[in-house]
Amino acid sequence: QVQLVESGGGLVQPGGSLRLSCVASGSILSINVMGWYRQTPQKPGELVATITSHGTTNYTDSVKGRFTISRHNAKNTVDLQMNSLKPEDTAVYYCILYDSNDYWGQGTQVIVSS
């Protein structure tokens, strides 16, 4: 059983920064992909960023240049540094992990508002 626990969400003004963190525990394969997915009631969910266990990253176009994903393999953690936040970044952010299965965290709310 794999568990993902996120932290770091909250309320921030437009142009501000937040850092999301996720810790994975359990029986995790060494070769995997970790990432962040976000969802709001108003629009379809979006895969925000992913990073492989080898460090290859991928971002959705709307966050390129503003968000940075990183991970620590030995600690099974993944972070998402979010800069220059916009109101449209408001969403529930879910930590995700893919190995032979896919796993999801419980989500953390990010609100970008003045």
Side-chain angles (χ1 to χ4, degrees):
Q1 186 73 12
V2 174
Q3 289 188 323
L4 304 176
V5 179
E6 304 104 332
S7 61
L11 172 65
V12 64
Q13 292 187 340
S17 298
L18 279 177
R19 188 177 184 89
L20 304 182
S21 296
C22 173
V23 179
S25 61
S27 299
I28 303 166
L29 298 180
S30 59
I31 305 300
N32 59 65
V33 178
M34 298 187 77
W36 293 90
Y37 184 93
R38 65 186 179 187
Q39 191 155 27
T40 70
Q42 293 79 25
K43 55 186 178 181
E46 181 176 41
L47 185 59
V48 177
T50 59
I51 183 167
T52 71
S53 47
H54 294 102
T56 300
T57 59
N58 194 38
Y59 299 90
T60 191
D61 285 345
S62 61
V63 308
K64 286 180 180 177
R66 300 188 298 122
F67 290 12
T68 302
I69 190 170
S70 60
R71 65 184 287 169
H72 193 299
N73 286 340
K75 297 181 179 179
N76 287 324
T77 61
V78 62
D79 293 341
L80 186 68
Q81 178 65 40
M82 305 186 293
N83 299 328
S84 302
L85 282 160
K86 304 176 181 180
E88 51 264 43
D89 294 318
T90 295
V92 177
Y93 284 72
Y94 296 89
C95 178
I96 55 176
L97 185 150
Y98 303 103
D99 52 17
S100 60
N101 296 293
D102 59 287
Y103 304 96
W104 295 71
Q106 81 284 357
T108 185
Q109 178 75 58
V110 171
I111 300 173
V112 185
S113 176
S114 54

